[in-house]
Amino acid sequence: MSKENKSRYALLGMLSLAPMSGYDLKKATDESIGYFWQENYAQIYPMLKQLTKEGLTTSHVEEQEGKPDRHVYTLTDKGREELQRWLSEPADYQVYRSELLLKLFFGKQTSLPVSAEHIRQYRERQVHLLHAIEGMEADFPERWNENPNAPYWLITMSYGRHNAQASIAWCDETLAALEKLSEQPETTTPNKEKTAYGN
């Protein structure tokens, strides 16, 4: 059985906020759910055509002077029902994949400075993300407090903030652990030595 494409529900959800063109959807997605759910144009435009074919959205053309026409998509009643049906289902468990953790797991095969640099780069990204989220939270009351969706948006931002803070703390802990390793005498492990993870 093929895995269901959840991009359809991300787009239905965004269109529940307002009618949008494909360009609008990409921009709105990047500025909202883009912190935890990415969509690109190659996914958006074919999916919009599919949703319209299924009767979940309708589209109309808006002419623009000196610019290409805008194809604006609107959620239908059927589309809103489909979105609500999906929202009521249990969320699928997402198998977590992390290239960073994969590289750290095999970190004995490279040098400590290489592993430490991976951590520093990751920490820098998390600090940048944390500042971005804190900035959005600071501006939130003035921009969105009257919006009925606001409490739910704040919940997702809070999740991002907690995750970023925890990641930064983990980075600091890991850098300290790597520093301790660097102070220990270098040891080598024979290739054929048995370990807990194989022969």
Side-chain angles (χ1 to χ4, degrees), residues 90-106:
D92 284 346
Y93 172 73
Q94 302 292 314
V95 177
Y96 181 63
R97 291 167 66 96
S98 168
E99 184 177 355
L100 173 64
L101 294 182
L102 192 61
K103 288 186 175 184
L104 287 175
F105 187 85
F106 300 113

Side-chain angles (χ1 to χ4, degrees), residues 22-51:
Y23 175 83
D24 295 333
L25 276 166
K26 179 67 169 70
K27 187 172 185 293
T29 296
D30 288 347
E31 295 175 353
S32 57
I33 63 173
Y35 288 95
F36 54 86
W37 187 274
Q38 294 286 325
E39 296 289 348
N40 57 46
Y41 288 117
Q43 296 165 317
I44 289 172
Y45 286 110
M47 184 56 69
L48 285 172
K49 290 182 180 179
Q50 179 62 31
L51 294 175

Side-chain angles (χ1 to χ4, degrees), residues 31-118:
E31 295 175 353
S32 57
I33 63 173
Y35 288 95
F36 54 86
W37 187 274
Q38 294 286 325
E39 296 289 348
N40 57 46
Y41 288 117
Q43 296 165 317
I44 289 172
Y45 286 110
M47 184 56 69
L48 285 172
K49 290 182 180 179
Q50 179 62 31
L51 294 175
T52 300
K53 183 179 178 181
E54 294 178 29
L56 304 179
T57 61
T58 59
S59 67
H60 68 275
V61 176
E62 290 184 357
E63 295 183 357
Q64 300 186 105
E65 188 173 346
K67 296 180 182 179
D69 294 342
R70 293 175 74 242
H71 293 264
V72 178
Y73 294 82
T74 303
L75 197 65
T76 64
D77 289 340
K78 182 180 178 182
R80 194 173 299 276
E81 289 173 3
E82 175 65 6
L83 174 63
Q84 291 170 347
R85 181 198 65 77
W86 172 73
L87 288 169
S88 69
E89 293 180 346
D92 284 346
Y93 172 73
Q94 302 292 314
V95 177
Y96 181 63
R97 291 167 66 96
S98 168
E99 184 177 355
L100 173 64
L101 294 182
L102 192 61
K103 288 186 175 184
L104 287 175
F105 187 85
F106 300 113
K108 187 69 174 70
Q109 308 307 314
T110 188
S111 68
L112 284 167
V114 166
S115 292
E117 182 59 23
H118 290 327

Side-chain angles (χ1 to χ4, degrees), residues 8-21:
R8 63 193 281 112
Y9 301 110
L11 298 188
L12 290 174
M14 295 304 295
L15 290 174
S16 74
L17 304 177
M20 300 186 214
S21 67

